[in-house]
Amino acid sequence: MKRDYDFTVFIGRFQPFHAGHLQVVNAGLSRAERMILLIGSAWQPRNPRNPWTHQEREQMVRSCLSDEDNGRLICLPLMDVPYNDEAWVRNVQSTVAGMVTAHYTTPHRPAKIALIGHRKDHTGFYLNLFPQWDNLGVDNYRGLSATPMRESYFTEDPVPLLGDLVKQAAMPSPVADYLVSFANEEDGYRQIHEEIAFVRKYQSAWEGAPYEPTFVTVDGVVVQSGHVLLVERKASPGKGLWALPGGFLDPGERLLDACLRELREETRLKVPAPVLKGSIRRQAVYDDPYRSARGRTVTHAFYMELQPSAELPKVKGADDAKQARWVPLGQLDPQRMFEDHYFIIQDLLGV
């Protein structure tokens, strides 16, 4: 069968994969010899917005396809770059180029590539970022969105909910079967269920306010001799994940003073305040709307580079931190990092 394109490219988070996503996948496979599915928000710890790994989401997708279609589908993880759209675009371009090189075998003409998707809301902005490829629009199937499905799945009885979604043709039955198994067998379901319950209780404190509040926080990015100072979170949200030392701004407190206070409280870092202030190389504001499950939270991060030393200053976890330690920059694991702290480090250090 002759198809219009050599490759279609579909980018999404698929949290979870639903019938609207499947419609786009089927359309992409019908128009091209191969489809490249880039699974976004990869290499993150489980959290209420991204509860499934990219491997689990690939399993959901492939469970809905025939052997023949699975043979033409290429699934690859795509990491977020929330504070650098150009880096994200470059990652997409290089990933697609690598797959074209590996799978395209017609030397007499360049590969024909089309980006496929639907513009359901602001998250579809990426469709305008690749003018070198054709753009195939697919109607949004019945206005489906993964967000309400995901939230209901973790807050209601999942079995009848999934049964209803299948009856309504909103979710493919193989995906529903997978999610039933996930709810019954995986610790991940309980983790996200408990975290969502925590967040809802946390947010109930301002449910009577006329406007949803915006929180201001600070984070310290302290680097010495190729190591960054991190703390292990003691409580939800993100219990057990590694984070930058930081916290909420107190009334009447300046941002830098708050950062220095949090450093002392959480790490017991015994570096004099004048030395820390003199070590500031850069500061920046991080305001991704989805950066915190607790609510709209804008953080001010201070990058402090201490003089190289063969011996790192002693630190000890305290206050909200279970422990504190110096982590080699080359050993940072985005799957073990809280919220967007991995990306803050990358942005401030230019790595």
Side-chain angles (χ1 to χ4, degrees):
M1 175 182 176
K2 180 65 175 177
R3 296 183 173 90
D4 301 324
Y5 295 94
D6 299 298
F7 298 88
T8 47
V9 179
F10 183 23
I11 307 171
R13 287 175 42 244
F14 316 118
Q15 296 272 19
F17 188 75
H18 58 61
H21 298 138
L22 181 58
Q23 183 192 42
V24 178
V25 169
N26 286 333
L29 287 168
S30 71
R31 298 290 300 275
E33 298 300 322
R34 294 182 182 271
M35 183 176 207
I36 300 172
L37 192 75
L38 299 181
I39 302 175
S41 299
W43 310 115
Q44 289 193 17
R46 296 192 196 276
N47 59 66
R49 191 164 185 263
N50 293 294
W52 293 286
T53 67
H54 71 84
Q55 297 95 333
E56 291 165 345
R57 286 174 279 160
E58 178 177 353
Q59 186 175 341
M60 293 183 206
V61 176
R62 291 196 180 278
S63 70
C64 302
L65 302 178
S66 67
D67 290 343
E68 192 273 334
D69 283 345
N70 269 313
R72 297 191 294 118
L73 181 70
I74 304 166
C75 293
L76 293 167
L78 181 67
M79 181 180 282
D80 291 344
V81 190
Y83 301 111
N84 191 332
D85 286 347
E86 289 74 20
W88 183 84
V89 169
R90 184 179 66 245
N91 290 346
V92 172
Q93 292 173 339
S94 60
T95 301
V96 171
M99 291 302 98
V100 170
T101 299
H103 295 280
Y104 186 59
T105 57
T106 307
H108 62 276
R109 64 169 177 82
K112 296 180 65 178
I113 303 171
L115 189 68
I116 191 167
H118 52 73
R119 292 181 171 86
K120 65 181 177 69
D121 55 27
H122 66 280
T123 62
F125 79 99
Y126 71 86
L127 294 172
N128 298 318
L129 297 178
F130 303 94
Q132 71 271 40
W133 301 331
D134 286 354
N135 199 314
L136 299 178
V138 177
D139 291 339
N140 187 8
Y141 179 68
R142 297 174 55 191
L144 293 179
S145 171
T147 300
M149 294 183 190
R150 180 176 66 249
E151 292 176 351
S152 297
Y153 171 74
F154 284 105
T155 56
E156 301 175 13
D157 187 339
V159 175
L161 169 72
L162 294 167
D164 288 343
L165 290 174
V166 171
K167 290 178 183 177
Q168 297 163 12
M171 178 175 287
S173 58
V175 175
D177 292 341
Y178 175 85
L179 295 179
V180 168
S181 176
F182 184 86
N184 289 334
E185 301 173 8
E186 298 286 347
D187 290 340
Y189 181 88
R190 184 176 67 254
Q191 173 196 334
I192 301 301
H193 175 80
E194 292 175 354
E195 191 152 318
I196 289 176
F198 169 86
V199 168
R200 290 191 171 184
K201 182 178 180 181
Y202 183 90
Q203 293 175 340
S204 68
W206 66 80
E207 61 186 5
Y211 302 101
E212 183 175 335
T214 296
F215 301 102
V216 179
T217 60
V218 291
D219 287 296
V221 183
V222 183
V223 174
Q224 185 171 34
S225 303
H227 291 67
V228 62
L229 181 56
L230 298 180
V231 297
E232 182 184 358
R233 290 183 59 82
K234 186 186 296 184
S236 293
K239 181 179 179 180
L241 297 178
W242 290 92
L244 295 166
F248 290 93
L249 183 72
D250 286 344
E253 190 175 38
R254 297 178 69 90
L255 291 166
L256 179 54
D257 293 337
C259 183
L260 298 178
R261 170 181 57 78
E262 289 287 351
L263 275 171
R264 289 192 301 270
E265 291 178 355
E266 293 192 346
T267 72
R268 298 290 189 254
L269 178 65
K270 295 186 183 303
V271 175
V275 175
L276 290 172
K277 290 180 179 180
S279 302
I280 295 174
R281 298 292 177 263
R282 188 181 168 200
Q283 64 186 82
V285 176
Y286 296 93
D287 62 351
D288 184 274
Y290 300 107
R291 64 178 305 273
S292 178
R294 293 169 290 185
R296 187 75 165 97
T297 305
V298 177
T299 199
H300 297 253
F302 293 84
Y303 169 32
M304 306 173 199
E305 186 177 5
L306 303 180
Q307 288 295 319
S309 173
E311 185 175 351
L312 297 169
K314 292 183 178 180
V315 291
K316 180 181 179 181
D319 193 35
D320 295 333
K322 183 177 180 180
Q323 61 174 312
R325 67 182 175 100
W326 294 95
V327 178
L329 291 170
Q331 295 180 13
L332 291 176
D333 180 0
Q335 296 180 96
R336 298 294 303 149
M337 294 288 291
F338 180 59
E339 291 185 345
D340 59 349
H341 291 196
Y342 176 83
F343 304 108
I344 290 175
I345 294 170
Q346 282 194 317
D347 182 68
L348 282 175
L349 274 64
V351 296

PDB file of all heavy atoms in Angstrom, residues 156-168:
ATOM      1  N   GLU A 156     -11.227   7.767  42.633  1.00  0.00           N
ATOM      2  CA  GLU A 156     -12.460   6.992  42.712  1.00  0.00           C
ATOM      3  C   GLU A 156     -12.117   5.501  42.669  1.00  0.00           C
ATOM      4  O   GLU A 156     -10.950   5.122  42.590  1.00  0.00           O
ATOM      5  CB  GLU A 156     -13.388   7.352  41.543  1.00  0.00           C
ATOM      6  CG  GLU A 156     -13.770   8.826  41.474  1.00  0.00           C
ATOM      7  CD  GLU A 156     -14.585   9.145  40.229  1.00  0.00           C
ATOM      8  OE1 GLU A 156     -15.059   8.190  39.561  1.00  0.00           O
ATOM      9  OE2 GLU A 156     -14.735  10.344  39.914  1.00  0.00           O
ATOM     10  N   ASP A 157     -13.142   4.665  42.742  1.00  0.00           N
ATOM     11  CA  ASP A 157     -12.934   3.232  42.557  1.00  0.00           C
ATOM     12  C   ASP A 157     -12.566   3.011  41.095  1.00  0.00           C
ATOM     13  O   ASP A 157     -13.383   3.246  40.200  1.00  0.00           O
ATOM     14  CB  ASP A 157     -14.212   2.473  42.909  1.00  0.00           C
ATOM     15  CG  ASP A 157     -14.017   0.962  42.895  1.00  0.00           C
ATOM     16  OD1 ASP A 157     -13.054   0.497  42.253  1.00  0.00           O
ATOM     17  OD2 ASP A 157     -14.820   0.242  43.512  1.00  0.00           O
ATOM     18  N   PRO A 158     -11.338   2.580  40.793  1.00  0.00           N
ATOM     19  CA  PRO A 158     -10.896   2.562  39.395  1.00  0.00           C
ATOM     20  C   PRO A 158     -11.598   1.537  38.518  1.00  0.00           C
ATOM     21  O   PRO A 158     -11.759   1.771  37.309  1.00  0.00           O
ATOM     22  CB  PRO A 158      -9.394   2.258  39.508  1.00  0.00           C
ATOM     23  CG  PRO A 158      -9.223   1.595  40.823  1.00  0.00           C
ATOM     24  CD  PRO A 158     -10.271   2.188  41.728  1.00  0.00           C
ATOM     25  N   VAL A 159     -12.040   0.418  39.074  1.00  0.00           N
ATOM     26  CA  VAL A 159     -12.596  -0.645  38.235  1.00  0.00           C
ATOM     27  C   VAL A 159     -13.892  -0.215  37.552  1.00  0.00           C
ATOM     28  O   VAL A 159     -14.012  -0.293  36.319  1.00  0.00           O
ATOM     29  CB  VAL A 159     -12.771  -1.945  39.034  1.00  0.00           C
ATOM     30  CG1 VAL A 159     -13.466  -3.007  38.182  1.00  0.00           C
ATOM     31  CG2 VAL A 159     -11.415  -2.456  39.529  1.00  0.00           C
ATOM     32  N   PRO A 160     -14.919   0.252  38.300  1.00  0.00           N
ATOM     33  CA  PRO A 160     -16.131   0.702  37.592  1.00  0.00           C
ATOM     34  C   PRO A 160     -15.881   1.912  36.709  1.00  0.00           C
ATOM     35  O   PRO A 160     -16.501   2.049  35.646  1.00  0.00           O
ATOM     36  CB  PRO A 160     -17.109   1.026  38.729  1.00  0.00           C
ATOM     37  CG  PRO A 160     -16.280   1.160  39.957  1.00  0.00           C
ATOM     38  CD  PRO A 160     -15.100   0.281  39.765  1.00  0.00           C
ATOM     39  N   LEU A 161     -14.979   2.800  37.134  1.00  0.00           N
ATOM     40  CA  LEU A 161     -14.659   3.968  36.307  1.00  0.00           C
ATOM     41  C   LEU A 161     -14.110   3.532  34.954  1.00  0.00           C
ATOM     42  O   LEU A 161     -14.565   4.009  33.901  1.00  0.00           O
ATOM     43  CB  LEU A 161     -13.629   4.846  37.013  1.00  0.00           C
ATOM     44  CG  LEU A 161     -13.020   5.963  36.149  1.00  0.00           C
ATOM     45  CD1 LEU A 161     -14.030   7.063  35.899  1.00  0.00           C
ATOM     46  CD2 LEU A 161     -11.754   6.523  36.785  1.00  0.00           C
ATOM     47  N   LEU A 162     -13.157   2.621  34.957  1.00  0.00           N
ATOM     48  CA  LEU A 162     -12.562   2.159  33.708  1.00  0.00           C
ATOM     49  C   LEU A 162     -13.579   1.419  32.855  1.00  0.00           C
ATOM     50  O   LEU A 162     -13.588   1.546  31.621  1.00  0.00           O
ATOM     51  CB  LEU A 162     -11.357   1.269  34.011  1.00  0.00           C
ATOM     52  CG  LEU A 162     -10.170   1.984  34.678  1.00  0.00           C
ATOM     53  CD1 LEU A 162      -9.166   0.977  35.224  1.00  0.00           C
ATOM     54  CD2 LEU A 162      -9.487   2.928  33.695  1.00  0.00           C
ATOM     55  N   GLY A 163     -14.461   0.652  33.495  1.00  0.00           N
ATOM     56  CA  GLY A 163     -15.512  -0.019  32.750  1.00  0.00           C
ATOM     57  C   GLY A 163     -16.410   0.961  32.033  1.00  0.00           C
ATOM     58  O   GLY A 163     -16.788   0.740  30.865  1.00  0.00           O
ATOM     59  N   ASP A 164     -16.752   2.058  32.703  1.00  0.00           N
ATOM     60  CA  ASP A 164     -17.586   3.087  32.072  1.00  0.00           C
ATOM     61  C   ASP A 164     -16.860   3.751  30.899  1.00  0.00           C
ATOM     62  O   ASP A 164     -17.468   4.026  29.858  1.00  0.00           O
ATOM     63  CB  ASP A 164     -17.980   4.151  33.101  1.00  0.00           C
ATOM     64  CG  ASP A 164     -19.004   3.639  34.105  1.00  0.00           C
ATOM     65  OD1 ASP A 164     -19.643   2.611  33.829  1.00  0.00           O
ATOM     66  OD2 ASP A 164     -19.143   4.275  35.179  1.00  0.00           O
ATOM     67  N   LEU A 165     -15.563   4.011  31.067  1.00  0.00           N
ATOM     68  CA  LEU A 165     -14.802   4.646  29.984  1.00  0.00           C
ATOM     69  C   LEU A 165     -14.742   3.753  28.753  1.00  0.00           C
ATOM     70  O   LEU A 165     -14.818   4.240  27.620  1.00  0.00           O
ATOM     71  CB  LEU A 165     -13.389   4.982  30.473  1.00  0.00           C
ATOM     72  CG  LEU A 165     -13.283   6.114  31.498  1.00  0.00           C
ATOM     73  CD1 LEU A 165     -11.843   6.253  32.002  1.00  0.00           C
ATOM     74  CD2 LEU A 165     -13.745   7.449  30.901  1.00  0.00           C
ATOM     75  N   VAL A 166     -14.632   2.458  28.964  1.00  0.00           N
ATOM     76  CA  VAL A 166     -14.628   1.528  27.837  1.00  0.00           C
ATOM     77  C   VAL A 166     -15.996   1.510  27.165  1.00  0.00           C
ATOM     78  O   VAL A 166     -16.109   1.552  25.927  1.00  0.00           O
ATOM     79  CB  VAL A 166     -14.219   0.115  28.301  1.00  0.00           C
ATOM     80  CG1 VAL A 166     -14.424  -0.903  27.173  1.00  0.00           C
ATOM     81  CG2 VAL A 166     -12.767   0.094  28.758  1.00  0.00           C
ATOM     82  N   LYS A 167     -17.067   1.459  27.956  1.00  0.00           N
ATOM     83  CA  LYS A 167     -18.423   1.461  27.389  1.00  0.00           C
ATOM     84  C   LYS A 167     -18.694   2.734  26.595  1.00  0.00           C
ATOM     85  O   LYS A 167     -19.413   2.715  25.592  1.00  0.00           O
ATOM     86  CB  LYS A 167     -19.453   1.328  28.508  1.00  0.00           C
ATOM     87  CG  LYS A 167     -19.481  -0.048  29.170  1.00  0.00           C
ATOM     88  CD  LYS A 167     -20.490  -0.075  30.309  1.00  0.00           C
ATOM     89  CE  LYS A 167     -20.485  -1.418  31.019  1.00  0.00           C
ATOM     90  NZ  LYS A 167     -21.410  -1.439  32.181  1.00  0.00           N
ATOM     91  N   GLN A 168     -18.118   3.841  27.039  1.00  0.00           N
ATOM     92  CA  GLN A 168     -18.311   5.120  26.363  1.00  0.00           C
ATOM     93  C   GLN A 168     -17.365   5.291  25.171  1.00  0.00           C
ATOM     94  O   GLN A 168     -17.358   6.348  24.535  1.00  0.00           O
ATOM     95  CB  GLN A 168     -18.085   6.267  27.352  1.00  0.00           C
ATOM     96  CG  GLN A 168     -19.071   6.287  28.505  1.00  0.00           C
ATOM     97  CD  GLN A 168     -18.589   7.146  29.672  1.00  0.00           C
ATOM     98  OE1 GLN A 168     -17.615   7.901  29.549  1.00  0.00           O
ATOM     99  NE2 GLN A 168     -19.266   7.048  30.808  1.00  0.00           N
TER     100      GLN A 168
END
